Amino acid sequence: MADQIVITEKTSQAKDVRAAVDSRYGDILPAEGHLINLQDPEEVVPAWKRWTPILLRPEGLYGSRPAVGGNKAAKLAAIREALRTAKQVWLATDCDREGQLIGQEILEHYNYRGQVMRVLFTAQDPQTIREAFGRAKPNSEYARLYAAAVARRQADQIYNLSLTRTATVILGQGARGVIGVRRVKTPTLAIVCKRELEIKNFVPVTYFVTAQVSL
């Protein structure tokens, strides 16, 4: 097994990195988005399996577990096996908050303690990727970015699920399905609905404009 590996966020990214640096930095292994999910509420507190209008906030943070579905298990297994012998990992996931989370959460889940370097690039042409590897920094310098991503995800888990269950139980009586409350979709939908109501309730008013005429 290689003593260093590269983790990318997706397969297409892995292909671009491979075309740019080949195996200079070790085997290149793609994730497929999030390979690690947070536990469901009932995995933390069994009583939370029953939907009630309560705040689903555990004593600490929600724990993590491997994602299922599609080829996620196979992707994660390949990375997990490579981490057993890897002394250095190059995180080449997207350079935003979510990319930081997708890569680092795998390392945290498996308690990886080797050296981790962070590779940041916004374009995926060979020259840009090679330059990005050349100026890579220790992943520890991005601890705040990772913390921000963890906080966002934990907040979504707590409040989105709590509000979704509350809305479904209280407002959805007799209705089919779940009334989902989401951080982005819900306020966006509210903006669209508000504008639609303004259009429907618009009342035209006749008005005149007087013009001054110079003689």
Side-chain angles (χ1 to χ4, degrees), residues 1-6 23-28 82 85-90 112:
M1 297 293 290
D3 61 357
Q4 59 178 349
I5 63 171
V6 179
S23 58
R24 188 182 314 168
Y25 300 95
D27 294 337
I28 301 170
T85 57
K87 297 178 181 178
Q88 180 165 283
V89 171
W90 301 80
Y112 179 74

Side-chain angles (χ1 to χ4, degrees), residues 34 46 71 84 105 112 118 124 126 134 142 179 196 203:
H34 287 283
N71 59 354
R84 296 182 189 276
E105 67 184 352
Y112 179 74
R118 188 66 168 102
Q124 293 186 197
Y142 301 91
I179 299 177
E196 181 65 21
V203 178

Side-chain angles (χ1 to χ4, degrees), residues 104-115:
Q104 191 169 338
E105 67 184 352
I106 299 172
L107 305 182
E108 295 289 336
H109 183 77
Y110 290 116
N111 296 311
Y112 179 74
R113 292 296 175 262
Q115 184 177 13

Side-chain angles (χ1 to χ4, degrees), residues 6-22 27-34 75 79 90-96 98-100 102-103 106 118-126 128-130 132-133:
V6 179
I7 297 177
T8 66
E9 189 162 327
K10 42 192 173 287
T11 301
S12 60
Q13 202 174 50
K15 291 179 180 178
D16 291 334
V17 171
R18 189 173 293 109
V21 299
D22 197 27
D27 294 337
I28 301 170
L29 303 172
E32 199 67 47
H34 287 283
K75 299 270 189 179
I79 295 175
W90 301 80
L91 280 187
T93 48
D94 287 354
C95 60
D96 56 8
E98 205 66 17
Q100 185 70 29
I102 287 172
I106 299 172
R118 188 66 168 102
V119 184
L120 300 176
F121 50 88
T122 53
Q124 293 186 197
D125 59 279
T128 297
I129 293 175
R130 284 193 291 268
F133 273 88

Side-chain angles (χ1 to χ4, degrees), residues 11 42 70 99 116 120 124 135 162 176 197 201 212-213:
T11 301
E42 55 266 29
V116 182
L120 300 176
Q124 293 186 197
R135 62 172 183 269
S162 297
R176 294 182 180 178
L197 290 174
N201 297 328
Q212 294 182 349
V213 180

